[in-house]
Structure formats: C-alpha cells, structure tokens
Amino acid sequence: MDISRTTTKKLVPVAALAVLALALAGCAKEDTSTTTESGIKLVDDGALTICTHLPYEPFEYTEGGKTVGFDPDVLEIAADANDLETKVVDISWETIVSGEALNTGKCDVAAGAMTITPEREAVMDFTDPYFEATQALMTKKGAGITSLDQLAGKTIAVQDATTGADYVKKNAPDDAKIVSFEDSALMEAAVKTGKADAGVNDNGLLAYYVSQNDDVEVATEFQTGEKYGFSVKKGGNDKLLDAINKGIASPEYDSVYKKWFGESPS
C-alpha cells in the first residue's frame, strides 16, 4: 500500500473544506446594525437609511448625482437631531409598500409620497401624516377632458401599486384602457407624448410636472382625502417613529415645506 498517496487522498477534502470556509467568510456581509443611545435601531451605524423609488418629483429625485426632494429634507430633520447622516436606497415600489424592504433590513425608514392605507398599516408602522394629497387627472393642454367619464374607449396611464391606479381601476369607464408604468416619469411621459390620453397620480407630483412642462395640464382633481406618512418596520422601531414625528411637528418642517412648495403648510 502506498501510504503517502492514501494520506494525500484523505487530506484533500479537508483542505478543500478549509478553503471553502474561508471563501464563505470573506463573502459574508458584515453586521453594521446598531442602536443609538436614544433607542433608534439602524441597519448601518451612524446613518439613517431611507428606501424610496425614484423618481417622484418633487418628493424625491436625482439631481447632480444626489437624491434630493421634499421627503429626504423632512427626514433629514430627524437625522440631524440625532447626529446621523442620511443614505438613500432606490428600490422597487412594490418592495416598499409590501413592507419587505423594511423586514429584510434594506433600510430603516421607507419614503415616497406614500399614502397611509389600512393595507399598508397592516405590514408597516407609520408616522403621523406629513402631507395632505389627493388624486389628479393630467392631460395634454386643451384636450378638453375634465373627468374619467370622458375617457371611455381611451387610454389612461397610471403608476404601478399606487392609490391612483386603484382609483382609476375602480372609477374609470369599463372600456377605458388602463396602462400601468413602473415609475411616475414613464407615466407622465406617456401623457406628454400622446401615448396615453390622460394620466392619474397624486396632485403634488402632477402639479410639479405641469409647472415644468407647459404642454400638459391638471384637468381636475378627485377628493380622495389621502395623507402621506413615512414607515418603519412593523413593531420594530418606535423610537425612530418618535424622532421623525418630532421633525414633522417642528418649525424646520415648515421651512422645508415652503422651500419645495412656495408656501407654508395650511
């Protein structure tokens, strides 16, 4: 019997396992989660990580390589008060509204002009409302369309997984063609280029878009009584909720609101 060969055969699997263990250790994600002195739980030490879906002007969008907008500015009030940086993660809207982004540790707080609904409250904890909104109908300027009833047999653009999409599905004529887009920019472009006869989304979003594009207009609004909130993991971050609510109630919030909408909140 060749003893050296037999020994080598026994050692090879052990060596391979050792190499594999080292490789797996190198690939493992370092746990950077922490809890601040005030009890705020963070997925990354020293930073408030925000999940959103871009773009949604003027609430969140990219400018000069940086995410800017009303929502990041409001959340920055709470971050500054707790000596935290802010970090924004662009993620799919469905991942946000399902609560998955928070449950899997992608972020500490979710934002995106998100209407508080019973379905969303079942999977996330919401802050106090920070913005009142409703749904609006956008068309090409001079189209003469002022209601959903006039869109029988026509095409209506909406955004995936939004309350605007839900409203249209519930209230549009049966023979209207509803086309859903992944983000608001694509939905708005469909109306501007004539691919859709009208689009429905939140009034703040569409009012801002109209202010930047003089060939479209907000034809009417639908009073749906919606309010936006920021969300955190269900049952998982009460101290962060408290910090954001303090920011919403602060004088700094009024300044941020005026910066983005030209007037103080009513």
Side-chain angles (χ1 to χ4, degrees), residues 2-237:
D2 186 337
I3 296 176
S4 62
R5 182 176 296 176
T6 303
T7 304
T8 302
K9 283 184 178 179
K10 289 181 179 178
L11 288 176
V12 167
V14 175
L17 288 173
V19 171
L20 179 60
L22 287 172
L24 290 174
C27 293
K29 182 182 184 296
E30 182 184 358
D31 182 7
T32 57
S33 62
T34 188
T35 301
T36 68
E37 290 183 4
S38 61
I40 297 173
K41 297 175 184 177
L42 302 170
V43 296
D44 280 319
D45 188 18
L48 180 64
T49 306
I50 305 163
C51 278
T52 193
H53 182 61
L54 302 170
Y56 205 84
E57 297 185 54
F59 293 91
E60 41 266 313
Y61 61 101
T62 303
E63 184 175 82
K66 181 181 178 183
T67 301
V68 298
F70 179 64
D71 285 354
D73 279 2
V74 173
L75 290 173
E76 198 168 295
I77 300 171
D80 288 346
N82 289 274
D83 297 321
L84 300 172
E85 300 294 326
T86 56
K87 182 172 69 172
V88 178
V89 177
D90 185 15
I91 199 166
S92 76
W93 186 241
E94 290 81 359
T95 304
I96 291 174
V97 295
S98 68
E100 182 184 347
L102 297 165
N103 291 335
T104 56
K106 297 288 192 303
C107 52
D108 307 303
V109 57
M114 180 163 43
T115 299
I116 302 170
T117 67
E119 294 79 13
R120 293 170 183 173
E121 286 181 307
V123 294
M124 298 178 281
D125 287 336
F126 277 90
T127 63
D128 295 336
Y130 71 95
F131 191 89
E132 292 189 8
T134 190
Q135 294 304 309
L137 179 74
M138 185 176 76
T139 66
K140 293 282 284 185
K141 185 169 284 186
I145 298 170
T146 57
S147 72
L148 286 178
D149 290 341
Q150 293 175 273
L151 290 163
K154 298 185 183 296
T155 301
I156 308 172
V158 299
Q159 182 182 354
D160 292 347
T162 60
T163 52
D166 293 340
Y167 184 86
V168 170
K169 290 171 186 175
K170 190 174 182 178
N171 295 283
D174 292 339
D175 61 346
K177 181 181 179 182
I178 302 171
V179 181
S180 190
F181 294 90
E182 182 181 0
D183 61 51
S184 61
L186 293 173
M187 184 226 81
E188 291 163 329
V191 179
K192 181 178 174 67
T193 60
K195 292 181 179 178
D197 298 289
V200 174
N201 211 315
D202 292 359
N203 59 345
L205 168 85
L206 296 185
Y208 183 83
Y209 186 78
V210 166
S211 73
Q212 307 296 308
N213 297 270
D214 58 10
D215 55 343
V216 290
E217 63 183 346
V218 172
T220 191
E221 295 188 5
F222 312 109
Q223 298 304 316
T224 53
E226 297 178 42
K227 294 181 179 180
Y228 296 161
F230 301 110
S231 66
V232 304
K233 185 177 180 180
K234 187 73 176 176
N237 217 337

